[in-house]
Every structure is written in C-alpha cells, then in structure tokens.
Amino acid sequence: MILLILGIALWVGAHLFKRLAPGQRASMGSAGKGIMAVAILAGLVLIVIGYRGAAFIPVWTPPAFMVHINNLLMIVAVFVYGMSATKGRLRGKLRHPQLTAVKIWAVAHLLVNGDLASIILFGAMLAWAVVEVILINRTEDWVRPEPGPAKKDILLVVITVAMFAIITAIHAWLGVWPFPG
C-alpha cells in the first residue's frame, strides 16, 4: 500500500507543481518538462505496482448491477477524453474534457471496487482532477474553440468504440473481466 500512496503522491505532486509553484516551474525551463514527465511516469509505475501488490481489504461490497453502470460510464469517459482531440461539432463543449474523463473514470471505478486500495487510488484521482480543474479555472482564461465538421464527431464515436475494446482487452489480459458473466 505504501508504493501505491507514494505513486499517487508523486503523480499528483508532479501534475500540480506547475499550478502551485509556477515561478519555480518556470525557472526550470524546458528541462522541467522532462523532469515532470519522469516524475509522472515514475508515479504511474509505483501506482501500478502498489495497486497490484496491495492486500485486498474489503470496505464495502458493491451491488452486481454497478458493473453495468461502470461500463456505461467508461464508454462515456473514453468519449469525453477523446473530445480533447476532436475537431468536430463537439469541440469546445467542455473546457476540461481530459480531467472530466478522469473524474468519470474514477467515479465509475469507485462504484465497482469496494476495497481499500481501490478507494485510495480512484478517490485520489477524483480529488486530483477536481483540484486541477479548480486551479486551472482560477488562473487561466478559456476561449471556446469554434466547432468543426460533424464528420469528425462520427470519427470520435468510432475511435471511442475501438479504444473501449482495447481497454477491455487490457483488463482481460490483467485478469479483470469487465462484463458480468
């Protein structure tokens, strides 16, 4: 559990550093991007190792139907995340599509995982995304981009389905089948 918590702290700290200490981050110059990228990657590695190695400590037992809600929310999360790169009509509907997707992802996983490690991991990611949005909104103005062609939104739907299939395959490979039997 210690590796999980250290990984989360490194991930969150590296992500928030630019917002909480902009002067220090700016003084690091372009080398700072590399340092932060390494810190984020190291945090992610520690999160994966820590989560996979954490003891299963049950806190609550999610009802079976939550799996369906999780899967629906995950499709939405993948779609919303993809909106950050879209050039279609949906472009600019959300100010923070990636962080919104992280929030949806975290809530979806909290609904189906009642163990302590999951609550720590997904709860921390939800809290980080909320804090990140608040800090960005306080410090940066947003100019809503102009919408693009609708065909780009159709492409987003196709990519969402493909990405959801890939994510499902990765979960299956890791031994977690995300669909009820």
Side-chain angles (χ1 to χ4, degrees):
M1 196 78 73
I2 290 174
L3 291 179
L4 173 63
I5 293 168
L6 287 173
I8 291 167
L10 193 53
W11 168 278
V12 171
H15 274 91
L16 292 179
F17 183 66
K18 176 182 175 182
R19 311 266 177 239
L20 296 175
Q24 278 186 295
R25 174 57 192 89
S27 71
M28 296 170 74
S30 61
K33 286 184 182 182
I35 293 168
M36 291 303 113
V38 168
I40 289 167
L41 181 60
L44 183 60
V45 168
L46 288 172
I47 288 169
V48 170
I49 293 169
Y51 183 73
R52 300 232 349 130
F56 184 84
I57 302 169
V59 175
W60 73 290
T61 303
F65 72 88
M66 287 295 186
V67 173
H68 302 292
I69 295 171
N70 171 74
N71 290 336
L72 178 62
L73 287 173
M74 283 308 303
I75 291 171
V76 172
V78 172
F79 181 82
V80 170
Y81 190 91
M83 285 175 63
S84 66
T86 188
K87 303 291 184 200
R89 303 288 309 156
L90 295 174
R91 180 182 181 180
K93 294 292 181 189
L94 291 175
R95 179 170 182 185
H96 307 287
Q98 291 180 350
L99 291 167
T100 301
V102 169
K103 290 186 260 184
I104 296 167
W105 166 83
V107 168
H109 282 76
L110 285 168
L111 292 175
V112 293
N113 294 289
D115 63 292
L116 184 60
S118 294
I119 292 169
I120 290 170
L121 172 59
F122 301 116
M125 291 298 157
L126 176 59
W128 162 71
V130 169
V131 169
E132 191 81 40
V133 166
I134 291 168
L135 291 173
I136 291 169
N137 287 347
R138 285 185 179 171
T139 59
E140 297 176 15
D141 291 328
W142 185 52
V143 177
R144 186 179 303 274
E146 291 296 320
K151 67 181 178 180
K152 296 289 188 174
D153 293 333
I154 294 168
L155 179 61
L156 174 59
V157 170
V158 171
I159 291 171
T160 296
V161 171
M163 286 306 300
F164 186 75
I166 291 167
I167 292 167
T168 298
I170 291 169
H171 276 75
W173 177 67
L174 292 172
V176 180
W177 183 244
F179 302 105

